[in-house]
PDB file of all heavy atoms in Angstrom:
ATOM      1  N   GLU A   1     118.953 195.864 -19.638  1.00 92.00           N
ATOM      2  CA  GLU A   1     120.058 196.796 -19.876  1.00 92.00           C
ATOM      3  C   GLU A   1     119.494 198.203 -19.684  1.00 92.00           C
ATOM      4  O   GLU A   1     118.500 198.559 -20.286  1.00 92.00           O
ATOM      5  CB  GLU A   1     120.634 196.630 -21.268  1.00 92.00           C
ATOM      6  CG  GLU A   1     121.838 197.474 -21.572  1.00 92.00           C
ATOM      7  CD  GLU A   1     123.121 196.849 -20.988  1.00 92.00           C
ATOM      8  OE1 GLU A   1     123.100 195.657 -20.613  1.00 92.00           O
ATOM      9  OE2 GLU A   1     124.151 197.565 -20.959  1.00 92.00           O
ATOM     10  N   MET A   2     120.137 199.046 -18.806  1.00 90.00           N
ATOM     11  CA  MET A   2     119.678 200.374 -18.537  1.00 90.00           C
ATOM     12  C   MET A   2     120.607 201.382 -19.177  1.00 90.00           C
ATOM     13  O   MET A   2     121.850 201.295 -18.976  1.00 90.00           O
ATOM     14  CB  MET A   2     119.559 200.625 -17.024  1.00 90.00           C
ATOM     15  CG  MET A   2     118.356 200.029 -16.376  1.00 90.00           C
ATOM     16  SD  MET A   2     118.516 198.232 -16.147  1.00 90.00           S
ATOM     17  CE  MET A   2     117.094 197.865 -15.137  1.00 90.00           C
ATOM     18  N   LYS A   3     120.034 202.328 -19.932  1.00 88.00           N
ATOM     19  CA  LYS A   3     120.851 203.354 -20.543  1.00 88.00           C
ATOM     20  C   LYS A   3     120.169 204.719 -20.372  1.00 88.00           C
ATOM     21  O   LYS A   3     119.018 204.885 -20.731  1.00 88.00           O
ATOM     22  CB  LYS A   3     121.026 203.100 -22.053  1.00 88.00           C
ATOM     23  CG  LYS A   3     121.846 201.854 -22.383  1.00 88.00           C
ATOM     24  CD  LYS A   3     123.280 202.002 -21.865  1.00 88.00           C
ATOM     25  CE  LYS A   3     124.070 200.719 -22.097  1.00 88.00           C
ATOM     26  NZ  LYS A   3     125.459 200.822 -21.549  1.00 88.00           N
ATOM     27  N   ASN A   4     120.924 205.678 -19.757  1.00 81.00           N
ATOM     28  CA  ASN A   4     120.397 207.046 -19.672  1.00 81.00           C
ATOM     29  C   ASN A   4     121.283 207.973 -20.516  1.00 81.00           C
ATOM     30  O   ASN A   4     122.278 207.535 -21.130  1.00 81.00           O
ATOM     31  CB  ASN A   4     120.310 207.477 -18.221  1.00 81.00           C
ATOM     32  CG  ASN A   4     121.626 207.384 -17.509  1.00 81.00           C
ATOM     33  OD1 ASN A   4     122.700 207.493 -18.100  1.00 81.00           O
ATOM     34  ND2 ASN A   4     121.587 207.131 -16.190  1.00 81.00           N
ATOM     35  N   GLU A   5     120.957 209.234 -20.486  1.00 72.00           N
ATOM     36  CA  GLU A   5     121.668 210.180 -21.330  1.00 72.00           C
ATOM     37  C   GLU A   5     123.141 210.318 -20.931  1.00 72.00           C
ATOM     38  O   GLU A   5     123.999 210.648 -21.733  1.00 72.00           O
ATOM     39  CB  GLU A   5     120.992 211.531 -21.298  1.00 72.00           C
ATOM     40  CG  GLU A   5     119.585 211.506 -21.912  1.00 72.00           C
ATOM     41  CD  GLU A   5     118.882 212.812 -21.791  1.00 72.00           C
ATOM     42  OE1 GLU A   5     119.403 213.703 -21.105  1.00 72.00           O
ATOM     43  OE2 GLU A   5     117.796 212.962 -22.412  1.00 72.00           O
ATOM     44  N   GLY A   6     123.474 209.982 -19.682  1.00 63.00           N
ATOM     45  CA  GLY A   6     124.852 210.044 -19.247  1.00 63.00           C
ATOM     46  C   GLY A   6     125.705 208.907 -19.796  1.00 63.00           C
ATOM     47  O   GLY A   6     126.905 208.950 -19.700  1.00 63.00           O
ATOM     48  N   ASP A   7     125.042 207.868 -20.361  1.00 53.00           N
ATOM     49  CA  ASP A   7     125.776 206.713 -20.890  1.00 53.00           C
ATOM     50  C   ASP A   7     126.164 206.915 -22.370  1.00 53.00           C
ATOM     51  O   ASP A   7     126.730 206.008 -22.980  1.00 53.00           O
ATOM     52  CB  ASP A   7     124.929 205.458 -20.766  1.00 53.00           C
ATOM     53  CG  ASP A   7     124.703 205.132 -19.311  1.00 53.00           C
ATOM     54  OD1 ASP A   7     125.592 205.381 -18.495  1.00 53.00           O
ATOM     55  OD2 ASP A   7     123.624 204.559 -18.996  1.00 53.00           O
ATOM     56  N   GLU A   8     125.794 208.039 -22.964  1.00 50.00           N
ATOM     57  CA  GLU A   8     126.118 208.249 -24.370  1.00 50.00           C
ATOM     58  C   GLU A   8     127.639 208.358 -24.588  1.00 50.00           C
ATOM     59  O   GLU A   8     128.365 208.835 -23.729  1.00 50.00           O
ATOM     60  CB  GLU A   8     125.464 209.554 -24.869  1.00 50.00           C
ATOM     61  CG  GLU A   8     123.953 209.484 -24.939  1.00 50.00           C
ATOM     62  CD  GLU A   8     123.379 210.792 -25.471  1.00 50.00           C
ATOM     63  OE1 GLU A   8     124.179 211.637 -25.845  1.00 50.00           O
ATOM     64  OE2 GLU A   8     122.130 210.923 -25.456  1.00 50.00           O
ATOM     65  N   THR A   9     128.065 207.793 -25.706  1.00 51.00           N
ATOM     66  CA  THR A   9     129.461 207.917 -26.103  1.00 51.00           C
ATOM     67  C   THR A   9     129.528 208.563 -27.474  1.00 51.00           C
ATOM     68  O   THR A   9     128.524 208.906 -28.052  1.00 51.00           O
ATOM     69  CB  THR A   9     130.138 206.501 -26.168  1.00 51.00           C
ATOM     70  OG1 THR A   9     129.461 205.764 -27.175  1.00 51.00           O
ATOM     71  CG2 THR A   9     129.996 205.785 -24.826  1.00 51.00           C
ATOM     72  N   ALA A  10     130.729 208.682 -27.984  1.00 41.00           N
ATOM     73  CA  ALA A  10     130.892 209.330 -29.276  1.00 41.00           C
ATOM     74  C   ALA A  10     130.299 208.486 -30.405  1.00 41.00           C
ATOM     75  O   ALA A  10     129.880 209.020 -31.447  1.00 41.00           O
ATOM     76  CB  ALA A  10     132.384 209.577 -29.564  1.00 41.00           C
ATOM     77  N   THR A  11     130.217 207.145 -30.195  1.00 56.00           N
ATOM     78  CA  THR A  11     129.754 206.273 -31.260  1.00 56.00           C
ATOM     79  C   THR A  11     128.414 205.634 -30.965  1.00 56.00           C
ATOM     80  O   THR A  11     127.792 205.063 -31.847  1.00 56.00           O
ATOM     81  CB  THR A  11     130.775 205.150 -31.500  1.00 56.00           C
ATOM     82  OG1 THR A  11     130.986 204.442 -30.273  1.00 56.00           O
ATOM     83  CG2 THR A  11     132.117 205.730 -31.973  1.00 56.00           C
ATOM     84  N   LYS A  12     127.968 205.715 -29.710  1.00 64.00           N
ATOM     85  CA  LYS A  12     126.688 205.086 -29.336  1.00 64.00           C
ATOM     86  C   LYS A  12     125.774 206.112 -28.690  1.00 64.00           C
ATOM     87  O   LYS A  12     125.923 206.400 -27.484  1.00 64.00           O
ATOM     88  CB  LYS A  12     126.914 203.906 -28.386  1.00 64.00           C
ATOM     89  CG  LYS A  12     127.650 202.739 -29.058  1.00 64.00           C
ATOM     90  CD  LYS A  12     127.811 201.587 -28.083  1.00 64.00           C
ATOM     91  CE  LYS A  12     128.513 200.405 -28.732  1.00 64.00           C
ATOM     92  NZ  LYS A  12     128.607 199.256 -27.832  1.00 64.00           N
ATOM     93  N   LYS A  13     124.901 206.663 -29.503  1.00 75.00           N
ATOM     94  CA  LYS A  13     123.962 207.656 -28.987  1.00 75.00           C
ATOM     95  C   LYS A  13     122.497 207.266 -29.259  1.00 75.00           C
ATOM     96  O   LYS A  13     121.613 208.032 -28.901  1.00 75.00           O
ATOM     97  CB  LYS A  13     124.228 209.029 -29.645  1.00 75.00           C
ATOM     98  CG  LYS A  13     125.597 209.573 -29.308  1.00 75.00           C
ATOM     99  CD  LYS A  13     125.789 210.971 -29.913  1.00 75.00           C
ATOM    100  CE  LYS A  13     127.150 211.549 -29.539  1.00 75.00           C
ATOM    101  NZ  LYS A  13     127.344 212.895 -30.082  1.00 75.00           N
ATOM    102  N   LYS A  14     122.266 206.097 -29.848  1.00 87.00           N
ATOM    103  CA  LYS A  14     120.933 205.661 -30.186  1.00 87.00           C
ATOM    104  C   LYS A  14     120.661 204.323 -29.509  1.00 87.00           C
ATOM    105  O   LYS A  14     121.565 203.562 -29.198  1.00 87.00           O
ATOM    106  CB  LYS A  14     120.758 205.540 -31.667  1.00 87.00           C
ATOM    107  CG  LYS A  14     120.859 206.881 -32.423  1.00 87.00           C
ATOM    108  CD  LYS A  14     120.575 206.714 -33.911  1.00 87.00           C
ATOM    109  CE  LYS A  14     120.609 208.039 -34.628  1.00 87.00           C
ATOM    110  NZ  LYS A  14     120.305 207.898 -36.082  1.00 87.00           N
ATOM    111  N   ASN A  15     119.360 204.044 -29.357  1.00 90.00           N
ATOM    112  CA  ASN A  15     118.974 202.783 -28.713  1.00 90.00           C
ATOM    113  C   ASN A  15     119.426 201.559 -29.555  1.00 90.00           C
ATOM    114  O   ASN A  15     119.790 200.502 -29.011  1.00 90.00           O
ATOM    115  CB  ASN A  15     117.444 202.735 -28.557  1.00 90.00           C
ATOM    116  CG  ASN A  15     117.015 203.758 -27.503  1.00 90.00           C
ATOM    117  OD1 ASN A  15     117.578 203.858 -26.439  1.00 90.00           O
ATOM    118  ND2 ASN A  15     115.924 204.504 -27.811  1.00 90.00           N
ATOM    119  N   ASP A  16     119.345 201.694 -30.899  1.00 90.00           N
ATOM    120  CA  ASP A  16     119.724 200.576 -31.772  1.00 90.00           C
ATOM    121  C   ASP A  16     121.170 200.136 -31.572  1.00 90.00           C
ATOM    122  O   ASP A  16     121.550 198.998 -31.847  1.00 90.00           O
ATOM    123  CB  ASP A  16     119.502 200.942 -33.236  1.00 90.00           C
ATOM    124  CG  ASP A  16     118.015 200.998 -33.574  1.00 90.00           C
ATOM    125  OD1 ASP A  16     117.202 200.526 -32.759  1.00 90.00           O
ATOM    126  OD2 ASP A  16     117.687 201.478 -34.671  1.00 90.00           O
ATOM    127  N   ASP A  17     122.015 201.085 -31.083  1.00 89.00           N
ATOM    128  CA  ASP A  17     123.443 200.747 -30.911  1.00 89.00           C
ATOM    129  C   ASP A  17     123.667 199.738 -29.811  1.00 89.00           C
ATOM    130  O   ASP A  17     124.774 199.134 -29.743  1.00 89.00           O
ATOM    131  CB  ASP A  17     124.232 202.022 -30.615  1.00 89.00           C
ATOM    132  CG  ASP A  17     124.130 203.047 -31.769  1.00 89.00           C
ATOM    133  OD1 ASP A  17     123.979 202.585 -32.906  1.00 89.00           O
ATOM    134  OD2 ASP A  17     124.249 204.259 -31.487  1.00 89.00           O
ATOM    135  N   PHE A  18     122.702 199.527 -28.930  1.00 91.00           N
ATOM    136  CA  PHE A  18     122.921 198.641 -27.802  1.00 91.00           C
ATOM    137  C   PHE A  18     122.160 197.318 -27.930  1.00 91.00           C
ATOM    138  O   PHE A  18     122.243 196.462 -27.026  1.00 91.00           O
ATOM    139  CB  PHE A  18     122.446 199.354 -26.512  1.00 91.00           C
ATOM    140  CG  PHE A  18     123.204 200.610 -26.234  1.00 91.00           C
ATOM    141  CD1 PHE A  18     122.737 201.815 -26.634  1.00 91.00           C
ATOM    142  CD2 PHE A  18     124.419 200.567 -25.514  1.00 91.00           C
ATOM    143  CE1 PHE A  18     123.442 202.997 -26.371  1.00 91.00           C
ATOM    144  CE2 PHE A  18     125.107 201.743 -25.233  1.00 91.00           C
ATOM    145  CZ  PHE A  18     124.647 202.954 -25.671  1.00 91.00           C
ATOM    146  N   LEU A  19     121.401 197.144 -28.996  1.00 93.00           N
ATOM    147  CA  LEU A  19     120.556 195.931 -29.123  1.00 93.00           C
ATOM    148  C   LEU A  19     121.388 194.662 -29.340  1.00 93.00           C
ATOM    149  O   LEU A  19     121.069 193.610 -28.781  1.00 93.00           O
ATOM    150  CB  LEU A  19     119.557 196.107 -30.257  1.00 93.00           C
ATOM    151  CG  LEU A  19     118.578 197.286 -30.094  1.00 93.00           C
ATOM    152  CD1 LEU A  19     117.606 197.315 -31.246  1.00 93.00           C
ATOM    153  CD2 LEU A  19     117.828 197.186 -28.778  1.00 93.00           C
ATOM    154  N   ASP A  20     122.445 194.743 -30.144  1.00 92.00           N
ATOM    155  CA  ASP A  20     123.236 193.549 -30.402  1.00 92.00           C
ATOM    156  C   ASP A  20     123.922 193.028 -29.138  1.00 92.00           C
ATOM    157  O   ASP A  20     123.941 191.828 -28.879  1.00 92.00           O
ATOM    158  CB  ASP A  20     124.303 193.853 -31.489  1.00 92.00           C
ATOM    159  CG  ASP A  20     123.662 194.102 -32.844  1.00 92.00           C
ATOM    160  OD1 ASP A  20     122.513 193.663 -33.032  1.00 92.00           O
ATOM    161  OD2 ASP A  20     124.328 194.721 -33.690  1.00 92.00           O
ATOM    162  N   LYS A  21     124.487 193.975 -28.332  1.00 91.00           N
ATOM    163  CA  LYS A  21     125.113 193.566 -27.097  1.00 91.00           C
ATOM    164  C   LYS A  21     124.103 192.985 -26.112  1.00 91.00           C
ATOM    165  O   LYS A  21     124.385 191.985 -25.433  1.00 91.00           O
ATOM    166  CB  LYS A  21     125.809 194.756 -26.432  1.00 91.00           C
ATOM    167  CG  LYS A  21     126.485 194.408 -25.069  1.00 91.00           C
ATOM    168  CD  LYS A  21     127.087 195.628 -24.431  1.00 91.00           C
ATOM    169  CE  LYS A  21     127.690 195.272 -23.090  1.00 91.00           C
ATOM    170  NZ  LYS A  21     126.694 194.735 -22.139  1.00 91.00           N
ATOM    171  N   LEU A  22     122.913 193.566 -26.063  1.00 93.00           N
ATOM    172  CA  LEU A  22     121.882 193.051 -25.181  1.00 93.00           C
ATOM    173  C   LEU A  22     121.485 191.630 -25.567  1.00 93.00           C
ATOM    174  O   LEU A  22     121.301 190.782 -24.714  1.00 93.00           O
ATOM    175  CB  LEU A  22     120.666 194.003 -25.233  1.00 93.00           C
ATOM    176  CG  LEU A  22     119.438 193.542 -24.414  1.00 93.00           C
ATOM    177  CD1 LEU A  22     119.807 193.383 -22.966  1.00 93.00           C
ATOM    178  CD2 LEU A  22     118.312 194.569 -24.564  1.00 93.00           C
ATOM    179  N   HIS A  23     121.397 191.409 -26.863  1.00 93.00           N
ATOM    180  CA  HIS A  23     121.074 190.029 -27.324  1.00 93.00           C
ATOM    181  C   HIS A  23     122.164 189.048 -26.945  1.00 93.00           C
ATOM    182  O   HIS A  23     121.910 187.934 -26.515  1.00 93.00           O
ATOM    183  CB  HIS A  23     120.859 190.082 -28.852  1.00 93.00           C
ATOM    184  CG  HIS A  23     120.558 188.720 -29.417  1.00 93.00           C
ATOM    185  ND1 HIS A  23     119.437 187.982 -29.121  1.00 93.00           N
ATOM    186  CD2 HIS A  23     121.288 187.976 -30.313  1.00 93.00           C
ATOM    187  CE1 HIS A  23     119.459 186.831 -29.767  1.00 93.00           C
ATOM    188  NE2 HIS A  23     120.576 186.799 -30.510  1.00 93.00           N
ATOM    189  N   LYS A  24     123.393 189.478 -27.078  1.00 92.00           N
ATOM    190  CA  LYS A  24     124.537 188.626 -26.740  1.00 92.00           C
ATOM    191  C   LYS A  24     124.525 188.304 -25.242  1.00 92.00           C
ATOM    192  O   LYS A  24     124.741 187.156 -24.841  1.00 92.00           O
ATOM    193  CB  LYS A  24     125.837 189.316 -27.150  1.00 92.00           C
ATOM    194  CG  LYS A  24     127.104 188.471 -26.856  1.00 92.00           C
ATOM    195  CD  LYS A  24     128.336 189.231 -27.352  1.00 92.00           C
ATOM    196  CE  LYS A  24     129.603 188.406 -27.054  1.00 92.00           C
ATOM    197  NZ  LYS A  24     130.810 189.148 -27.476  1.00 92.00           N
ATOM    198  N   ASP A  25     124.275 189.325 -24.417  1.00 91.00           N
ATOM    199  CA  ASP A  25     124.208 189.107 -22.956  1.00 91.00           C
ATOM    200  C   ASP A  25     123.058 188.155 -22.638  1.00 91.00           C
ATOM    201  O   ASP A  25     123.190 187.291 -21.747  1.00 91.00           O
ATOM    202  CB  ASP A  25     124.025 190.446 -22.235  1.00 91.00           C
ATOM    203  CG  ASP A  25     125.220 191.363 -22.398  1.00 91.00           C
ATOM    204  OD1 ASP A  25     126.300 190.845 -22.720  1.00 91.00           O
ATOM    205  OD2 ASP A  25     125.068 192.593 -22.236  1.00 91.00           O
ATOM    206  N   ARG A  26     121.912 188.356 -23.282  1.00 92.00           N
ATOM    207  CA  ARG A  26     120.743 187.515 -22.993  1.00 92.00           C
ATOM    208  C   ARG A  26     121.077 186.039 -23.335  1.00 92.00           C
ATOM    209  O   ARG A  26     120.730 185.133 -22.570  1.00 92.00           O
ATOM    210  CB  ARG A  26     119.555 188.012 -23.823  1.00 92.00           C
ATOM    211  CG  ARG A  26     118.258 187.197 -23.668  1.00 92.00           C
ATOM    212  CD  ARG A  26     117.996 186.308 -24.903  1.00 92.00           C
ATOM    213  NE  ARG A  26     117.905 187.061 -26.087  1.00 92.00           N
ATOM    214  CZ  ARG A  26     116.776 187.602 -26.589  1.00 92.00           C
ATOM    215  NH1 ARG A  26     115.643 187.390 -25.958  1.00 92.00           N
ATOM    216  NH2 ARG A  26     116.790 188.252 -27.742  1.00 92.00           N
ATOM    217  N   GLU A  27     121.754 185.764 -24.466  1.00 91.00           N
ATOM    218  CA  GLU A  27     122.072 184.388 -24.819  1.00 91.00           C
ATOM    219  C   GLU A  27     123.120 183.808 -23.868  1.00 91.00           C
ATOM    220  O   GLU A  27     123.042 182.616 -23.535  1.00 91.00           O
ATOM    221  CB  GLU A  27     122.555 184.367 -26.263  1.00 91.00           C
ATOM    222  CG  GLU A  27     121.458 184.583 -27.304  1.00 91.00           C
ATOM    223  CD  GLU A  27     121.960 184.312 -28.713  1.00 91.00           C
ATOM    224  OE1 GLU A  27     123.160 184.474 -28.943  1.00 91.00           O
ATOM    225  OE2 GLU A  27     121.147 183.908 -29.581  1.00 91.00           O
ATOM    226  N   ALA A  28     124.067 184.615 -23.440  1.00 90.00           N
ATOM    227  CA  ALA A  28     125.118 184.146 -22.571  1.00 90.00           C
ATOM    228  C   ALA A  28     124.538 183.694 -21.219  1.00 90.00           C
ATOM    229  O   ALA A  28     125.046 182.719 -20.596  1.00 90.00           O
ATOM    230  CB  ALA A  28     126.191 185.216 -22.358  1.00 90.00           C
ATOM    231  N   LYS A  29     123.505 184.394 -20.714  1.00 90.00           N
ATOM    232  CA  LYS A  29     122.942 184.077 -19.414  1.00 90.00           C
ATOM    233  C   LYS A  29     121.659 183.233 -19.527  1.00 90.00           C
ATOM    234  O   LYS A  29     121.019 182.977 -18.496  1.00 90.00           O
ATOM    235  CB  LYS A  29     122.676 185.373 -18.633  1.00 90.00           C
ATOM    236  CG  LYS A  29     123.892 186.203 -18.472  1.00 90.00           C
ATOM    237  CD  LYS A  29     125.051 185.469 -17.774  1.00 90.00           C
ATOM    238  CE  LYS A  29     126.378 186.163 -17.889  1.00 90.00           C
ATOM    239  NZ  LYS A  29     126.431 187.488 -17.314  1.00 90.00           N
ATOM    240  N   GLY A  30     121.301 182.840 -20.736  1.00 90.00           N
ATOM    241  CA  GLY A  30     120.167 181.943 -20.926  1.00 90.00           C
ATOM    242  C   GLY A  30     118.834 182.565 -20.558  1.00 90.00           C
ATOM    243  O   GLY A  30     117.980 181.879 -19.956  1.00 90.00           O
ATOM    244  N   CYS A  31     118.625 183.836 -20.867  1.00 92.00           N
ATOM    245  CA  CYS A  31     117.336 184.500 -20.573  1.00 92.00           C
ATOM    246  C   CYS A  31     116.428 184.452 -21.785  1.00 92.00           C
ATOM    247  O   CYS A  31     116.871 184.537 -22.934  1.00 92.00           O
ATOM    248  CB  CYS A  31     117.595 185.961 -20.170  1.00 92.00           C
ATOM    249  SG  CYS A  31     118.486 186.115 -18.605  1.00 92.00           S
ATOM    250  N   GLU A  32     115.130 184.385 -21.513  1.00 91.00           N
ATOM    251  CA  GLU A  32     114.128 184.279 -22.577  1.00 91.00           C
ATOM    252  C   GLU A  32     113.918 185.636 -23.243  1.00 91.00           C
ATOM    253  O   GLU A  32     113.847 185.720 -24.481  1.00 91.00           O
ATOM    254  CB  GLU A  32     112.824 183.722 -22.049  1.00 91.00           C
ATOM    255  CG  GLU A  32     111.743 183.544 -23.075  1.00 91.00           C
ATOM    256  CD  GLU A  32     110.454 182.984 -22.514  1.00 91.00           C
ATOM    257  OE1 GLU A  32     110.418 182.779 -21.270  1.00 91.00           O
ATOM    258  OE2 GLU A  32     109.498 182.737 -23.279  1.00 91.00           O
ATOM    259  N   TYR A  33     113.745 186.671 -22.461  1.00 94.00           N
ATOM    260  CA  TYR A  33     113.461 188.023 -22.967  1.00 94.00           C
ATOM    261  C   TYR A  33     114.648 188.944 -22.751  1.00 94.00           C
ATOM    262  O   TYR A  33     115.516 188.708 -21.902  1.00 94.00           O
ATOM    263  CB  TYR A  33     112.229 188.618 -22.270  1.00 94.00           C
ATOM    264  CG  TYR A  33     110.949 187.921 -22.630  1.00 94.00           C
ATOM    265  CD1 TYR A  33     110.460 186.889 -21.811  1.00 94.00           C
ATOM    266  CD2 TYR A  33     110.194 188.281 -23.746  1.00 94.00           C
ATOM    267  CE1 TYR A  33     109.270 186.225 -22.112  1.00 94.00           C
ATOM    268  CE2 TYR A  33     108.998 187.628 -24.040  1.00 94.00           C
ATOM    269  CZ  TYR A  33     108.537 186.590 -23.211  1.00 94.00           C
ATOM    270  OH  TYR A  33     107.368 185.976 -23.500  1.00 94.00           O
ATOM    271  N   ALA A  34     114.702 190.002 -23.557  1.00 95.00           N
ATOM    272  CA  ALA A  34     115.718 191.038 -23.437  1.00 95.00           C
ATOM    273  C   ALA A  34     115.039 192.412 -23.517  1.00 95.00           C
ATOM    274  O   ALA A  34     114.254 192.675 -24.451  1.00 95.00           O
ATOM    275  CB  ALA A  34     116.778 190.910 -24.490  1.00 95.00           C
TER     276      ALA A  34
END
């Protein structure tokens, strides 16, 4: 998952805000690492 400063939103400005979605995407596509 790639995030730069242009991807910031009003509610997601920190790296921790994207970890849950990344984990969900990883499980959906059967990947070992995220």
Side-chain angles (χ1 to χ4, degrees):
E1 185 79 14
M2 283 75 171
K3 293 296 176 184
N4 57 28
E5 295 177 350
D7 295 328
E8 293 182 4
T9 64
T11 57
K12 294 183 178 181
K13 296 184 179 181
K14 295 183 178 181
N15 292 314
D16 288 348
D17 298 332
F18 298 93
L19 299 183
D20 292 339
K21 178 183 178 299
L22 176 58
H23 177 64
K24 183 178 179 182
D25 295 339
R26 179 255 301 269
E27 288 189 331
K29 302 304 166 60
C31 294
E32 181 179 3
Y33 292 93

